[in-house]
Amino acid sequence: MLLGLIGCSPTKVVLETGSPTIISVPPALGVHPNDSCSQKPGDFICNLVLLDQNDQIWQLHDHEGDIIVLDFSAMWCGPCQMAGTTVQDTVAEYNSIGFQYVTVLIDDEAGESVDVEDAALWATSFDIIDAPVLQGFRGLIDPSYDAGYAISSWPTFLFVDRDLKIYAGLNGFSEAAIKQKIEEKI
């Protein structure tokens, strides 16, 4: 069996004694920086690829055209847990306008890496059924990493417009402030 990559797309072709079989290859997890993106307000946001609470790949750039709230949280954080209680209601309120509320868990209860069980527990604990809870990791918030998010408190929210540009940020939890930022782009 011959296995090869085609161009720069995430596709592999397996050649056997018949027609080629095309197999989709999942992208690497994490932030995908390039010359036309950054994590700074006003800029086109770099693609973020992580696994969700169902262990399925979620990609930020797949949601171009939606207003997106990225909620960077830690499971041990009280204000993050307060934010978790509002996710499903916020999604229900804004779902009809093309909206995504995305929780990116960075730490589990012990301050360790998040896995699928942690993400699923977060979703179940806060009755989140219509929004992804992503399995993040510390490297996403490392400011020395070119594509890392500048997180200075828990939770931190980034607001992304329909053109995938970051238009606002918020440190700490305020349901009213989150809704105000969402409504700026409606």
Side-chain angles (χ1 to χ4, degrees):
M1 180 184 327
L2 175 64
L3 183 65
L5 268 324
I6 297 178
C8 296
S9 66
T11 305
K12 286 184 184 176
V13 175
V14 178
L15 298 175
E16 295 181 359
T17 55
S19 354
T21 303
I22 298 177
I23 303 169
S24 180
V25 177
L29 299 179
V31 178
H32 292 261
N34 61 47
D35 291 341
S36 63
C37 72
S38 84
Q39 309 309 60
K40 297 176 184 167
D43 287 350
F44 182 76
I45 194 166
C46 299
N47 196 17
L48 174 65
V49 179
L50 292 173
L51 296 172
D52 69 11
Q53 70 267 35
N54 301 308
D55 230 15
Q56 299 297 309
I57 290 176
W58 186 92
Q59 294 192 61
L60 179 62
H61 284 189
D62 286 348
H63 301 282
E64 183 174 11
D66 290 340
I67 295 168
I68 303 166
V69 174
L70 291 175
D71 165 5
F72 292 89
S73 284
M75 292 181 78
W76 49 262
C77 161
C80 301
Q81 294 168 11
M82 289 173 46
T85 66
T86 68
V87 172
Q88 190 59 42
D89 288 341
T90 303
V91 170
E93 183 173 347
Y94 295 106
N95 194 38
S96 66
I97 59 140
F99 173 75
Q100 294 284 318
Y101 190 114
V102 182
T103 303
V104 182
L105 289 177
I106 301 297
D107 284 348
D108 68 8
E109 288 286 350
E112 301 293 327
S113 295
V114 175
D115 60 23
V116 65
E117 289 82 14
D118 296 321
L121 176 62
W122 187 270
T124 302
S125 297
F126 298 112
D127 297 320
I128 300 170
I129 49 178
D130 297 320
V133 177
L134 304 181
Q135 303 169 47
F137 53 89
R138 280 278 167 175
L140 293 175
I141 62 167
D142 182 355
S144 65
Y145 172 51
D146 288 342
Y149 295 92
I151 306 297
S152 60
S153 67
W154 298 110
T156 292
F157 298 87
L158 287 182
F159 299 86
V160 180
D161 70 16
R162 297 181 191 283
D163 296 321
L164 296 175
K165 291 185 178 176
I166 302 168
Y167 69 90
L170 176 68
N171 292 329
F173 173 67
S174 166
E175 185 175 10
I178 291 168
K179 289 183 177 188
Q180 177 187 6
K181 292 296 179 195
I182 294 167
E183 291 180 12
E184 285 178 17
K185 293 297 177 176
I186 292 179

